[in-house]
Amino acid sequence: MYTLIATARLNGVDPQAWLADVLARINDHKITDLAALLPWRWAAERESRKLAA
């Protein structure tokens, strides 16, 4: 668990927000695209959603 939190922090991601979102989405997420849930990809996707809105 510490590794997940530290990785999120090192990538400038709020660990609590990231883990909450990932845990909520992982059950319905495609197994072939699990890399999208990594902190650096998650942050980029979230930023692009903000810009699109």
Side-chain angles (χ1 to χ4, degrees), residues 10-51:
L10 286 172
N11 286 281
V13 174
D14 175 21
Q16 185 176 6
W18 171 68
L19 281 171
D21 185 54
V22 167
L23 290 174
R25 292 174 39 196
I26 198 163
N27 192 41
D28 297 326
H29 200 77
K30 290 182 180 180
I31 196 165
T32 57
D33 193 27
L34 289 179
L37 300 177
L38 295 171
W40 51 92
R41 298 262 316 266
W42 180 86
E45 179 185 325
R46 190 170 181 185
E47 191 64 31
S48 68
R49 277 194 244 151
K50 282 183 186 177
L51 294 175

